[in-house]
Amino acid sequence: MRPLAGPSDVVQNVGVLRYGGREYCFGAGRYSIGRAPASDIVVSSPLVSRQHARLVVGTHSIVIEDLGSANGLTVNARRVRNTFTLVPGDRIGVGGHEIQFLEFGIAPVVDCTLIGDGVPAKAKHPSGPVESGTYRRPNEGSVEHDDFALVGSMAERALANRRISDAVDILRYRLTKVLEEAKRGQPITSHTREACIDYACKLASATCDGRWVDYVLELLTCHSTPCPERFGASLQTAAQAVTGFDRDLLERYARCLRALPSSIERIRTIQQAERLTEVLQQKRR
């Protein structure tokens, strides 16, 4: 298992904003705001320009910039002509919609490992299509997952455009926060867990970083939960793509599965864990 961050390690700064009744975390980078479907933050309103504004998250600050919008950009009801450095509590006005800047802080560090900290040189673009961040309930239609509705779509755009480091920065805070909550014994909904597994597998395949496979194994072990069947193939593909992953975590996960009540699902997931063990053994030859 990789060591924890030391004093010299780079800290991941994030901006926390509220939009549409939800809170979202943004890692360092540039995020477009506008009516265009390709925007990072899509605001559906005829008063919003296709490329209305840009949010720039830096090391120590967040700046909002008007991109020459037809109806203007405001912060706290005052017009922004060019750029404006935000402070916590500021309210951004875009075509009658409001985005509130809540805080600028540091992504939490969990005690298992630092995940996604940098992209190995052999990082590659996923070979398959990037799926949308929606998760299906049994016997129901597709529903949008609140926690990942915005950051998930932003990360998928980044992956589709081969901006792998950006995808890692966008997702790392949210994924790490969920794992931290799971390790404290807090309840995690099945939809949140599925979203985390899905995106961690995508990042593992894109970055070849085994710590994302470790992430999935630890998340499942925290709540003694087998990997959902529809993500079994994704986890297998991710394990094959990375250079290696933690054998101890895999063994803990397998012990957790063997302790579950007898069922078809238990047998299936134990076989799934055995296949992961075979993948790991092949990598060590």
Side-chain angles (χ1 to χ4, degrees), residues 7 78 86 94 105:
R78 300 185 65 177
L86 301 171
V94 180

Side-chain angles (χ1 to χ4, degrees), residues 110-139:
V110 294
D111 59 8
C112 60
T113 181
L114 280 176
I115 55 176
D117 188 18
V119 179
K122 63 178 293 185
K124 59 184 181 181
H125 180 62
S127 57
V130 180
E131 301 176 356
S132 64
T134 56
Y135 300 87
R136 189 175 297 278
R137 295 178 184 269
N139 304 320

